[in-house]
Amino acid sequence: MFVHKIDEELELKLPQKHDAEALFRLTDQSRSHLKEWLPWLDFTTKEEDTKNFIAGSNKLYADNQGLNALIFFKGELAGVAGYNQLDWTNKTAKVGYWLGVGFQGHGIMTRTAQALTQYAFEELNMNRVEIRAAAGNKKSRAIPERLGYTYEGQIRQAEWLYDHYVDHVMYGMLSDEWKNR
């Protein structure tokens, strides 16, 4: 099982079946906040959907194709972050994340994304880490910008978000850049 202690306040853990109720509750409490930028909220309407997400996350991890980890802040479930995809051929990890509505303003996601970036380079031996965010999502874009990622461009109409397309911006960090920053 994956567990990664970031610091005294933060820890990442692979989700387990017993986490379904708490994760669904956090998702449900944050629904209107998350729905502005994430397309999957209409498909997560009951605890069973969260159980399916957890099962899929565990398969993704077992198959060494990605990692969805629960973020615990001071022992409380705060969100999800990890690698949406691990591309072993090209040595690229694609980071994704979301934070519950009541957990913003504590530096949680910046520290989490920093830890995931470092883990990708030092433990997984990746050459590249990518973070994509909707062009209008300033809070999500601030994370890679704070960490010194390079803005690499905009992908037009990259994602269908309920009733419209949104552009994505892509940020990248290379292993050498991370070591020399």
Side-chain angles (χ1 to χ4, degrees):
M1 167 147 141
F2 177 85
V3 176
H4 184 69
K5 186 174 175 75
I6 296 172
D7 57 34
E8 293 305 313
E9 294 183 323
L10 283 171
E11 188 171 53
L12 299 176
K13 294 181 183 178
L14 192 67
Q16 301 299 304
K17 290 178 187 177
H18 66 268
D19 295 312
E21 182 182 350
L23 182 55
F24 178 73
R25 191 176 334 104
L26 180 64
T27 302
D28 209 35
Q29 291 167 349
S30 304
R31 187 172 299 280
S32 61
H33 163 74
L34 295 174
K35 198 167 181 177
E36 183 177 5
W37 299 114
L38 297 174
W40 47 264
L41 277 297
D42 284 351
F43 306 105
T44 306
T45 58
K46 55 191 178 299
E47 191 175 319
E48 187 65 29
D49 299 325
T50 301
K51 288 178 182 175
N52 291 335
F53 167 77
I54 290 171
S57 294
N58 287 319
K59 180 169 179 11
L60 189 71
Y61 182 71
D63 292 344
N64 211 18
Q65 297 299 307
L67 168 69
N68 292 313
L70 303 180
I71 303 167
F72 286 90
F73 176 65
K74 298 180 180 178
E76 190 175 353
L77 179 58
V80 176
Y83 308 115
N84 293 333
Q85 180 184 14
L86 292 171
D87 178 346
W88 295 100
T89 301
N90 297 302
K91 296 203 166 280
T92 300
K94 297 180 179 181
V95 172
Y97 44 77
W98 66 266
L99 197 58
V101 69
F103 293 93
Q104 295 183 5
H106 301 284
I108 294 169
M109 203 50 78
T110 300
R111 289 184 281 164
T112 299
Q114 181 175 7
L116 287 167
T117 303
Q118 186 141 352
Y119 190 88
F121 291 136
E122 293 180 3
E123 302 298 324
L124 302 179
N125 198 31
M126 291 293 169
N127 180 58
R128 176 181 172 80
V129 177
E130 296 177 2
I131 296 177
R132 283 174 49 164
N137 190 342
K138 292 179 182 175
K139 288 182 178 181
S140 188
R141 291 181 62 178
I143 306 299
E145 290 170 1
R146 248 184 243 117
L147 295 175
Y149 276 65
T150 300
Y151 171 84
E152 295 182 334
Q154 189 158 323
I155 304 160
R156 298 178 304 145
Q157 296 187 1
E159 184 174 43
W160 178 253
L161 198 58
Y162 303 102
D163 61 356
H164 66 288
Y165 286 100
V166 293
D167 294 354
H168 277 188
V169 291
M170 182 166 347
Y171 296 90
M173 177 66 73
L174 302 178
S175 178
D176 289 343
E177 294 170 340
W178 186 256
K179 290 174 190 167
N180 297 324
R181 63 186 171 93

